[in-house]
């Protein structure tokens, strides 16, 4: 099992930037793919970005060009640089990890989750 802890959320004005971090510990092979998901009140959890161990990334259309996912495997860290933020980006952001093959923005495919960090854009 993989343990994940997010940090870096907060409040920012529209057009501003925030950086999120996620530190992982535990079962290494459970981190073949890591991703960022978000959930706004009253809405379903949605995928934002994910990155495979090989560094290949995938983004949702709503964040493409504004958010950048990256990782440092040696430090067991994953990051999300959020630029040009919009009010509709307001949500709880979760770090998640999955093992096995494949790396897609499907929440049901991810076995390990962090506790979440709030991002508010006004």
């Amino acid at each position: 099992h993989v343990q994940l802890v997010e940090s870096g959320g907060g409040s920012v004005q529209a057009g501003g930037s925030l950086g999120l971090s996620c530190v992982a510990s535990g079962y290494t092979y459970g981190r073949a793919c890591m991703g960022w998901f978000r959930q706004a009140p009253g809405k379903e959890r949605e995928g934002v970005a994910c990155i495979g161990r090989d560094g290949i990334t995938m983004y949702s259309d709503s964040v493409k060009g504004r958010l950048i996912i990256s990782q440092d495997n040696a430090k067991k860290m994953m990051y999300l640089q959020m630029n040009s933020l919009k009010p509709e980006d307001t949500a709880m952001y979760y770090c998640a990890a999955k093992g096995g093959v494949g790396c897609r923005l499907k929440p049901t495919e991810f076995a390990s989750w962090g506790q979440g960090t709030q991002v508010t854009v006004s």
Side-chain angles (χ1 to χ4, degrees), residues 81-100:
Q81 179 61 38
M82 309 170 70
N83 303 316
S84 302
L85 283 164
K86 305 175 181 180
E88 51 263 44
D89 293 318
T90 295
M92 185 73 78
Y93 282 71
Y94 297 91
C95 168
K98 69 178 289 291

Side-chain angles (χ1 to χ4, degrees), residues 1-5 22-28 31 34 75-77 97 112:
H1 194 65
V2 180
Q3 292 78 45
L4 303 168
V5 179
C22 173
V23 58
S25 60
Y27 184 51
T28 300
R31 295 186 288 112
M34 296 189 69
K75 295 182 179 179
K76 300 180 181 179
M77 295 289 297
S112 301

Side-chain angles (χ1 to χ4, degrees), residues 98-110:
K98 69 178 289 291
V101 299
C103 195
R104 303 186 298 174
L105 293 173
K106 299 288 187 181
T108 54
E109 295 182 1
F110 286 74

Side-chain angles (χ1 to χ4, degrees), residues 62-73:
S62 62
V63 306
K64 201 172 292 182
R66 300 188 297 117
L67 276 57
I68 302 170
I69 189 172
S70 61
Q71 66 185 354
D72 184 330
N73 288 326

